[in-house]
Amino acid sequence: MSFTTLGLSKPILRAIAEEGYTTPTPIQAKAIPVVLAKKDILAGAQTGTGKTAGFTLPLLQLLSDAPQTKGKPRVRALILTPTRELAAQVGDSVKTYGKYLPFKSTVIFGGVGINPQIERLKRGVDVVIATPGRLLDLANQRCIDLSAVDFLVLDEADRMLDMGFIHDIKKVLALLPKKRQNLLFSATFSNEIKALADGLLDSPTLIEVARRNTASESVEQRIYPVDRERKRELLSHLIKDHDWRQVLVFTRTKHGANRLTEQLGKDGITASAIHGNKSQTARTKALADFKRGDVRVLVATDIAARGIDIDQLPHVVNFELPNVSEDYVHRIGRTGRAGNEGEAISLVCVDELKLLRDIEKLIKRDIPQVKLKGFEVDPSIAPEPIQQRSAGRGGNRGRGGSGGGGSRPKSTTSATRQDSGRSRNSARPGTKQRSRDSHRGNR
Ligand code: AMP
């Protein structure tokens, strides 16, 4: 199958050919014709499957098929994402795929100045890619008119619900015209997602592609058993020994990310951290430095890493296993993207054996273990509860006090909100605005 048979116009085909895409990925092959047929879709697709082009290409086509009436463009397509990084990423894709089309698009998220966003909206845009909080702020200030939206995309809807955006999403929906086409993308289908889909979608076509955790044979996964206190030493050893040039490393906490970044620096390995405590400018810079190859290691927490899309990212390292097994799948989805080879390595100490078992249960396979000479595990070391350890050392709060168990604590719903650029005073009258991080938890 090739893109030419999917019903896309020349300017779009030219843009994707320049990106080097020759064959549609499975989600693209399934979604593009359905979206072009103006149907709602409910798509189960994880990041890394090519889902962004799966909705962006047909959207651009539909926008071209029904040109704007003369005058300033009105917002006709709205794409909602859970995080700023993903919004920026999708915004880049819309620009790339639409570069030979006359449409204007803009990205809207919190944590950066609102005025440039207002200015851009005033000039008129066709496509808006936004996180829900800042979008509502702009709508409340009457700086954005959503009454002409024909297409709504909810990208990574499960993550949006996880992050407590359901009320914001409902408020946004209330601002849209009743008649429109809706596309909902989600990696998982919880009851909450089903309820959202029921209320939102009109006889949707269900599209599913193989989950990354079963399909991603292109990611080679390995476990390095290691003592808790020797993880940093092992990581530096692996990076130097294998001469890894671009490594994305996950830690469980923001404090852990900072500390590891410093320690790697001391080992002579350039590293920067990306997490919720960093300003948007700092995060964008860290990502750009990493993409350019100026920085060898990017240390990230789970939430901050959502939306990171780097072509052919060769190495992902779990410095600590995530508390939530699904996050492991999201993490390793950062490598081996769109058919490239990738390697995902986890440094696992005695505290994390239950987490490892949960992950292996989820992905339905045992991950091969590599016992490295010189880093043999000391069997006399007793396991410690994970949460205590990160709270005690870092002085940071743990992640909702789950004690390192495998389930996501209920309290993270509000604690991990990311789109914190909006004023909470307006949302809850009389509430003193809390600091951004107190909302975000420790990731
Ligand atoms: P996504 O799942 O949308 O985050 O896309 C994952 C990666 O796959 C991105 O780096 C895209 O540039 C790339 N990609 C998307 N579609 C294709 C395609 N048909 N052929 C090759 N690469 C693609």
Side-chain angles (χ1 to χ4, degrees), residues 3 19-25 28 46-53 97 309-311 337-338:
F3 279 106
E19 283 306 290
Y21 303 175
T22 47
T23 319
T25 65
Q28 291 162 4
Q46 290 176 309
T47 182
T49 52
K51 67 181 166 63
T52 315
Y97 305 140
D309 174 19
I310 299 161
D311 284 340
R337 317 198 90 194

Side-chain angles (χ1 to χ4, degrees), residues 254-307:
K254 292 184 275 198
H255 173 71
N258 286 340
R259 200 170 41 156
L260 181 62
T261 305
E262 269 169 41
Q263 290 169 331
L264 289 172
K266 285 187 190 142
D267 289 345
I269 296 168
T270 50
S272 40
I274 182 166
H275 56 62
N277 264 10
K278 300 261 173 184
S279 68
Q280 189 56 40
T281 322
R283 289 204 241 172
T284 309
K285 182 178 177 325
L287 190 58
D289 289 348
F290 182 60
K291 280 186 176 182
R292 264 199 315 273
D294 294 350
V295 166
R296 207 162 162 184
V297 179
L298 187 66
V299 186
T301 54
D302 290 289
I303 289 260
R306 279 301 274 204

Side-chain angles (χ1 to χ4, degrees), residues 203-215:
S203 325
T205 303
L206 185 69
I207 294 175
E208 276 193 285
V209 294
R211 290 180 60 88
R212 277 203 76 84
N213 54 358
T214 51

Side-chain angles (χ1 to χ4, degrees), residues 125-193:
V125 290
D126 304 85
V127 182
V128 166
I129 305 101
T131 51
R134 176 59 66 88
L135 181 70
L136 279 177
D137 263 0
L138 285 163
N140 290 339
Q141 293 181 36
R142 305 207 178 287
C143 295
I144 185 165
D145 172 14
L146 297 171
S147 64
V149 169
D150 289 325
F151 310 102
L152 171 73
V153 181
L154 295 187
D155 195 10
E156 301 198 356
D158 49 346
R159 208 60 170 188
M160 283 201 256
L161 298 191
D162 266 5
M163 290 167 73
F165 284 139
I166 185 65
H167 299 296
D168 286 354
I169 291 173
K170 287 192 172 151
K171 282 185 204 157
V172 172
L173 293 181
L175 301 172
L176 305 179
K178 292 258 172 311
K179 202 174 154 328
R180 53 168 202 268
Q181 190 176 354
N182 302 289
L183 318 177
L184 190 152
F185 286 77
S186 183
T188 53
F189 288 117
S190 61
N191 288 338
E192 286 83 8
I193 287 288

Side-chain angles (χ1 to χ4, degrees), residues 118 130 144 329 401-402:
I118 294 176
I144 185 165
V329 180
S402 73

